[in-house]
Amino acid sequence: MPTRILGIDPGLTRCGFGAIELGVGRNVALIDVGVFRSSPSAELSVRIGTLADEIESLIHSVKPDVLALERVFAQANLRSVMGTAQISGVVLALAHKHGLPIALHTPSEVKAAVTGNGRANKDQVGQMVTRILGLSEMPKPADAADALAIAICNAWRGLPSPSDKNSTLTAAQKSWHAAIAASKSKP
Amino acid sequence: MPTRILGIDPGLTRCGFGAIELGVGRNVALIDVGVFRSSPSAELSVRIGTLADEIESLIHSVKPDVLALERVFAQANLRSVMGTAQISGVVLALAHKHGLPIALHTPSEVKAAVTGNGRANKDQVGQMVTRILGLSEMPKPADAADALAIAICNAWRGLPSPSDKNSTLTAAQKSWHAAIAASKSKP
């Protein structure tokens, strides 16, 4: 039975979302992708409340089995981290409300999963997401592509590693496993 | 008509709440006070989701006219700021869902309102909250007293200043206005 994963790149001004379905092996197919926006000039509770309503509607329409979210970290811009944390709180509360398991992935884990490089830039992530899902063009803005990358990272976790027999991996997936293995072997 | 104010001191491990009613003049009466807790060992979505349910039940029982919340700022402990921001996001989304106006107050604004000193410590805030509401003992833990202070700060905003005729103020209220006036007169 296929697994449907909803990836969310939390943010107050732009909140990216990407839903995929994991089929046979490592096949992943696009279900939905986009971005919810809120105006910085609007009142904070209206911004957060409206985004909460939109994310809840998305859960109803996508009907995911899992919700994957980027783990919030300290960054240079503390103001944007606050908004990110506030939206991630809303997403976590919604996951609990709808009985959805939630997975948190670090940015470097997500980058490594789709590009094989934990320090890949936004454009590289977008290119690989486009290729993996067989899309005709790169999802825009970057928040939308990032949300798909989070979902793909989650989909591929726990699947047979490339050393397993009968494993059919793409070049990107092989380099991901190599990067994971290399990072694990470090002291 | 009395105004009912629900103050919330957002936090992931301890989330304080304090509900008061503003009557004639500057009279404020306690409606409810306490703290919701979540275990740091529990899964994050369970922690946030459970707190969200408890805060929503509180909104149903208190039926506030206004929700007052401490504005989240950068602090030394970034990890605790993240949890605080996540819960504040949940509270803001709930305020929007229930059509409640929300007011954000800075910590120094809250301290100045109840003690007359924007740099008062936790104990001084707790002592003044106890006195203002005529309680027999100080609300514990400090998060509960802080939530009441946030509600009182909100209640007293926009009320006649001590220079107005017929104004009957307590000593604490007079010193608060003096502190506000002093801070405004600084260059």
Side-chain angles (χ1 to χ4, degrees):
Chain A
M1 199 184 117
T3 303
R4 200 169 271 214
I5 302 147
L6 175 56
I8 293 185
D9 184 21
L12 187 53
T13 304
R14 286 184 310 278
C15 180
F17 65 89
I20 61 167
E21 198 158 85
L22 175 67
V24 177
R26 291 175 175 265
N27 270 318
V28 281
L30 177 72
I31 303 293
D32 199 0
V33 64
V35 68
F36 297 127
R37 296 170 190 272
S38 80
S39 165
S41 62
E43 206 218 317
L44 188 59
S45 67
V46 174
R47 297 180 72 183
I48 294 178
T50 306
L51 288 172
D53 290 345
E54 289 172 326
I55 295 165
E56 189 157 27
S57 295
L58 185 69
I59 290 172
H60 284 299
S61 69
V62 167
K63 295 179 180 50
D65 301 299
V66 182
L67 217 152
L69 190 63
E70 191 154 284
R71 196 182 285 275
V72 181
F73 275 109
Q75 281 157 15
N77 188 343
L78 192 80
R79 203 186 181 110
S80 98
V81 172
M82 288 295 152
T84 301
Q86 286 172 322
I87 298 301
S88 85
V90 167
V91 172
L92 287 159
L94 286 174
H96 182 257
K97 181 180 171 185
H98 293 275
L100 285 173
I102 195 139
L104 298 173
H105 301 291
T106 65
S108 61
E109 190 186 349
V110 172
K111 288 172 188 168
V114 298
T115 71
N117 172 10
R119 295 181 169 194
N121 62 32
K122 293 260 175 212
D123 193 58
Q124 291 169 318
V125 169
Q127 299 275 6
M128 281 307 301
V129 163
T130 308
R131 206 182 297 179
I132 291 165
L133 292 169
L135 309 178
S136 56
E137 57 181 31
M138 199 191 298
K140 293 272 164 76
D143 314 76
D146 281 350
L148 285 172
I150 294 162
I152 293 167
C153 170
N154 181 268
W156 286 352
R157 273 184 50 159
L159 289 183
S161 80
S163 61
D164 291 359
K165 280 173 190 174
N166 306 322
S167 167
T168 53
L169 295 177
T170 65
Q173 293 157 3
K174 280 176 189 158
S175 60
W176 171 49
H177 284 289
I180 294 289
S183 70
K184 279 181 183 159
S185 65
K186 277 177 195 157
Chain B
M1 200 183 113
T3 303
R4 200 167 269 215
I5 301 149
L6 175 57
I8 293 184
D9 184 20
L12 186 52
T13 304
R14 288 184 310 279
C15 180
F17 65 89
I20 61 168
E21 198 157 86
L22 175 67
V24 177
R26 291 175 175 263
N27 270 318
V28 282
L30 177 71
I31 302 293
D32 198 0
V33 63
V35 68
F36 298 127
R37 295 170 190 272
S38 81
S39 166
S41 62
E43 205 218 319
L44 188 60
S45 67
V46 174
R47 298 180 72 182
I48 293 178
T50 306
L51 288 172
D53 291 345
E54 288 172 326
I55 295 165
E56 189 158 28
S57 294
L58 185 68
I59 290 172
H60 284 298
S61 69
V62 168
K63 295 181 180 51
D65 301 300
V66 181
L67 218 152
L69 189 64
E70 190 155 286
R71 196 182 285 274
V72 182
F73 274 110
Q75 283 154 14
N77 188 341
L78 193 79
R79 202 185 182 109
S80 96
V81 172
M82 288 295 151
T84 301
Q86 287 173 322
I87 299 301
S88 86
V90 166
V91 172
L92 287 159
L94 285 173
H96 182 256
K97 181 180 171 187
H98 293 274
L100 285 173
I102 196 141
L104 299 172
H105 300 290
T106 65
S108 61
E109 189 186 349
V110 171
K111 288 171 188 168
V114 296
T115 73
N117 173 9
R119 294 179 171 197
N121 62 31
K122 293 259 175 213
D123 193 58
Q124 291 170 319
V125 169
Q127 299 274 9
M128 280 307 301
V129 163
T130 309
R131 205 180 300 178
I132 291 166
L133 291 169
L135 308 178
S136 56
E137 56 180 32
M138 201 193 295
K140 293 274 167 75
D143 314 76
D146 281 351
L148 285 173
I150 294 163
I152 294 167
C153 171
N154 181 267
W156 285 352
R157 273 185 51 162
L159 289 184
S161 81
S163 61
D164 290 359
K165 279 173 191 175
N166 306 320
S167 166
T168 53
L169 295 177
T170 66
Q173 292 158 3
K174 280 177 187 154
S175 61
W176 169 49
H177 283 290
I180 294 289
S183 71
K184 280 182 183 160
S185 66
K186 278 177 192 155

